Amino acid sequence: VEELWCRGFLGRKLCARYGLAAGVFLTSVLFGLLHLDPSHVFIAGLMGAYLHYVLLTTRSLWPAVLLHLANNGLAVLI
């Protein structure tokens, strides 16, 4: 759901309105803030920027979804 909202919807709108760099930055900041825990906000923001990069380079939301799923699954296992 986070990927659909942040990159699939919000990211596309922000990039279209403010340009690629500002759109990715704003989307990543909002993605980080969605994680609420102050210790996770910065890292989640960086991950959001990376996932947006993956979306842009692959032109598909699925690789970003799978990477996000793998990250969360690894966090649960650890």
Side-chain angles (χ1 to χ4, degrees):
V1 172
E2 287 175 322
E3 292 305 312
L4 288 173
W5 169 251
C6 287
R7 268 152 286 292
F9 176 73
L10 186 63
R12 288 180 194 218
K13 299 293 183 185
L14 290 174
C15 286
R17 183 170 189 149
Y18 298 109
L20 186 61
V24 170
F25 176 76
L26 290 170
T27 304
S28 300
V29 168
L30 293 171
F31 181 76
L33 292 173
L34 282 174
H35 289 81
L36 300 179
D37 184 350
S39 66
H40 295 152
V41 169
F42 181 72
I43 296 299
L46 289 178
M47 183 178 167
Y50 175 70
L51 291 172
H52 211 119
Y53 170 77
V54 169
L55 168 71
L56 293 171
T57 57
T58 64
R59 296 181 181 261
S60 174
L61 190 59
W62 287 109
V65 169
L66 293 174
L67 284 170
H68 194 158
L69 178 67
N71 178 73
N72 289 357
L74 185 61
V76 168
L77 289 175
I78 290 174

